[in-house]
Amino acid sequence: MADPFEVRMRFSAQLQHLNASVVSLQKAASYALKYKDMDEDLHSCILEQLERTNMNTRANIMFFIEHFMEMAWKENHTNYIDMLQRDIIRVVDAVAPDNESGAANVKVVRLVLQNLQVKRFLDAHVVTDIEEVLKERETSAHDAGLSSPVVDDHDLGEMPPSQAIPHPGRPTAPRLDKRQVEQRIEEDRERHKRLRESIWHVPDRQTEIDRLWEETSDLGDDDHLMGREEFLAREQAIAQQCPHYTPRTLDGLYGREGREANGRGDN
């Protein structure tokens, strides 16, 4: 049996070194599912790292949570999902706290919550209530010094954190250094690329085939007529370009109707 303290330390280290790549997210999620008998302890690791790490890591952990919940559902280990639902407010407060650094993570939280709702890991009324809180915390990307996650690349990092404008009554947060700003920009770009790729992703090939079948109209006489006309037009075009080409007929392709359409009939 694995040592609980070692498992906890290894999982915490993986969370601290998360990045925007899918491989990084899958590795940490697989590790947590491997030791699912310690699920309560590993879930507490997620909460602790959210409250201890910098803004970039908090954003990465938020995206990890979405990926992790999907893998846990496929593995039929719903304890992790139940614990997320129980502590979702604490998660949101950690990722997007009510200060300048948290403001740049508001869009991250909003995007992940919407995805969790679509995947039915969170109830719609819970997401709606959290959205009302996020509206109060949201400021522009210029105020926060960073933008994330769905914005144009030319907007990223347009204003350095040192020029962020403080808000009266809003708690201040430690400024991010230049390296962290550049890291966030690169990770946001990686996530943007995956979002664009996901537009063309078909999760279930058979489902897509069934959808196309339902949306396609039944084959009728007009379709046969159009097919014959296109066939004859193609043969004529090829014959005009190549004097040695012998145009094919519709014999064997459309039966008697095809031969009649080709001007031959049954002789």
Side-chain angles (χ1 to χ4, degrees), residues 10-63:
R10 287 179 179 270
F11 185 57
S12 297
Q14 290 181 353
L15 294 176
Q16 292 170 7
H17 294 88
L18 283 175
N19 55 51
S21 69
V22 177
V23 175
S24 174
L25 304 179
Q26 288 179 339
K27 181 179 178 180
S30 297
Y31 187 87
L33 289 172
K34 179 181 179 180
Y35 297 101
K36 56 187 177 183
D37 55 320
M38 307 178 192
D39 50 12
E40 188 74 39
D41 199 29
L42 295 182
H43 176 74
S44 68
C45 286
I46 297 175
L47 299 177
E48 290 176 6
Q49 293 304 315
L50 282 174
E51 295 169 349
R52 292 179 179 178
T53 54
N54 60 43
M55 185 193 68
N56 290 349
T57 305
R58 295 200 303 263
N60 289 332
I61 294 177
M62 191 67 192
F63 283 108

Side-chain angles (χ1 to χ4, degrees), residues 68-86:
F68 181 35
M69 292 302 101
E70 190 169 1
M71 289 185 63
W73 180 79
K74 291 180 180 178
E75 293 288 335
N76 198 29
H77 189 72
T78 58
N79 285 358
Y80 282 121
I81 300 175
D82 294 339
M83 288 184 287
L84 170 71
Q85 295 171 344
R86 181 192 67 196

Side-chain angles (χ1 to χ4, degrees), residues 54 56 176-185:
N54 60 43
N56 290 349
L176 295 177
D177 57 32
K178 182 179 180 181
R179 183 188 63 81
Q180 291 175 326
V181 173
E182 293 174 348
Q183 177 186 355
R184 180 59 174 267
I185 292 173

